[in-house]
């Protein structure tokens, strides 16, 4: 894996602000490695996600590759960027080397996205890593939340700048009105501009997000809306 060229495998997906009676607006771009393409190129006969802890170790190798590429790629997007990493990566010597190189070139904002399971597996390491990166001008996002889990996470105590709720088709069907109101209150308390609904593949996801006060979205349907708005503006 250390020898795989990641550049052809890197993808970008925007996070967009979508509000009623306003054109969609791209806020920043997430940069990530296409796992499907990586698997086809490197290990076509292996299920990379079969073992959760082995997969996390595998992603730490990917993290190091991404850190080495970010200073090179920073000029390819005019917006802020986000990248999914492990907590251990933020505490590694490779991160300090990345920071020194990246800040020579730009003061562009980077949002480091951390998985819920990774954060809660070692809260102490997370809190140290959070302070370490925020002191250097970066932001932190908690990824992998469900509508049920979101109200249980104290963003103000854990110090996340952003939080991501993962959309799934059954959410619209399985979220009763009382639970939806509780979620809406939790989002309002966290700050609607700090909550992203991701993996939005259709208009149902956007309507649900609006119903609970979310205005930031990510997913294939959002890609289409932003592309259409950009085409109409030409």
């Amino acid at each position: 894996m250390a020898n795989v060229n990641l550049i052809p495998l890197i993808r970008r997906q925007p996070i967009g602000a979508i509000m009623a009676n306003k054109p969609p607006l791209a806020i920043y771009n997430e940069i990530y490695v296409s796992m499907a393409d990586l698997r086809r190129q490197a290990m076509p006969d292996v299920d990379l996600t079969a073992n959760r802890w082995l997969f996390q170790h595998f992603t730490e190798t990917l993290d190091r590759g991404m850190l080495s590429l970010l200073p090179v790629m920073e000029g390819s997007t005019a917006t802020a960027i986000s990248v999914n990493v492990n907590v251990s990566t933020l505490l590694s010597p490779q991160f300090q080397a990345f920071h020194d190189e990246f800040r020579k070139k730009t003061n562009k904002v980077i949002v480091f996205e951390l998985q819920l399971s990774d954060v809660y597996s070692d809260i102490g390491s997370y809190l140290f890593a959070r302070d370490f990166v925020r002191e250097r001008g970066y932001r932190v996002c908690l990824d992998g939340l469900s509508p049920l889990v979101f109200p249980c996470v104290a963003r103000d105590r854990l110090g996340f700048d952003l939080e991501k709720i993962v959309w799934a088709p059954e959410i619209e069907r399985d979220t009763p009105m009382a639970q939806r109101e509780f979620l809406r209150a939790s989002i309002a308390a966290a700050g609607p501009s700090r909550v992203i609904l991701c993996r939005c593949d259709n208009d149902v996801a956007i309507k649900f997000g609006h119903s609970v006060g979310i205005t930031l979205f990510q997913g294939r349907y959002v890609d289409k809306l932003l592309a259409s708005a950009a085409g109409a503006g030409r």
Side-chain angles (χ1 to χ4, degrees):
M1 279 308 307
N3 296 322
V4 171
N5 179 13
L6 295 179
I7 291 178
L9 308 176
I10 289 176
R11 306 290 181 266
R12 292 173 175 80
Q13 188 172 57
I15 287 81
I18 302 176
M19 293 173 279
N21 303 318
K22 292 185 179 180
L25 177 66
I27 305 299
Y28 67 91
N29 280 276
E30 180 179 354
I31 296 177
Y32 63 95
V33 173
S34 169
M35 299 304 294
D37 291 339
L38 176 61
R39 178 180 177 182
R40 281 192 289 268
Q41 176 176 320
M43 292 171 284
D45 300 322
V46 177
D47 181 357
L48 300 175
T49 62
N51 182 294
R52 180 190 175 282
W53 296 108
L54 190 59
F55 179 71
Q56 181 165 333
H57 178 68
F58 169 74
T59 59
E60 290 171 353
T61 303
L62 286 182
D63 288 352
R64 291 192 290 272
M66 286 295 290
L67 288 181
S68 67
L69 289 175
L70 285 175
V72 178
M73 297 166 48
E74 67 83 18
S76 64
T77 175
T79 65
I81 58 178
S82 71
V83 60
N84 206 305
V85 298
N86 292 283
V87 171
S88 59
T89 300
L90 301 178
L91 300 174
S92 68
Q94 289 86 355
F95 181 82
Q96 185 60 53
F98 149 78
H99 170 71
D100 293 342
E101 183 65 22
F102 190 77
R103 286 305 182 219
K104 288 179 185 176
K105 297 187 173 185
T106 180
N107 288 320
K108 183 179 295 181
V109 172
I110 291 186
V111 178
F112 289 109
E113 300 189 13
L114 306 173
Q115 291 297 312
L116 177 68
S117 57
D118 188 25
V119 167
Y120 276 91
S121 68
D122 189 342
I123 289 287
S125 292
Y126 158 70
L127 292 174
F128 185 88
R130 176 203 65 190
D131 293 344
F132 182 77
V133 300
R134 292 182 76 180
E135 287 170 2
R136 286 155 178 77
Y138 304 107
R139 299 292 179 264
V140 180
C141 174
L142 180 61
D143 194 3
L145 297 171
S146 70
L148 281 174
V149 171
F150 178 87
C152 303
V153 176
R155 188 192 64 79
D156 54 341
R157 292 184 180 181
L158 292 176
F160 292 102
D161 300 287
L162 296 162
E163 293 175 274
K164 272 189 179 182
I165 297 174
V166 181
W167 168 258
E170 62 270 17
I171 289 175
E172 170 65 23
R173 181 189 67 239
D174 297 340
T175 307
M177 188 56 64
Q179 184 180 326
R180 195 173 299 203
E181 288 303 316
F182 184 45
L183 178 61
R184 171 188 277 276
S186 300
I187 290 170
S193 63
R194 295 179 180 272
V195 182
I196 301 161
L197 187 64
C198 66
R199 298 187 188 174
C200 300
D201 288 336
N202 53 45
D203 186 57
V204 175
I206 307 299
K207 290 179 179 177
F208 176 86
H210 284 164
S211 76
V212 294
I214 295 174
T215 58
L216 296 179
F217 299 89
Q218 181 182 18
R220 294 176 182 173
Y221 185 73
V222 179
D223 296 345
K224 294 178 182 178
L225 293 178
L226 291 170
S228 177
R234 293 195 182 104

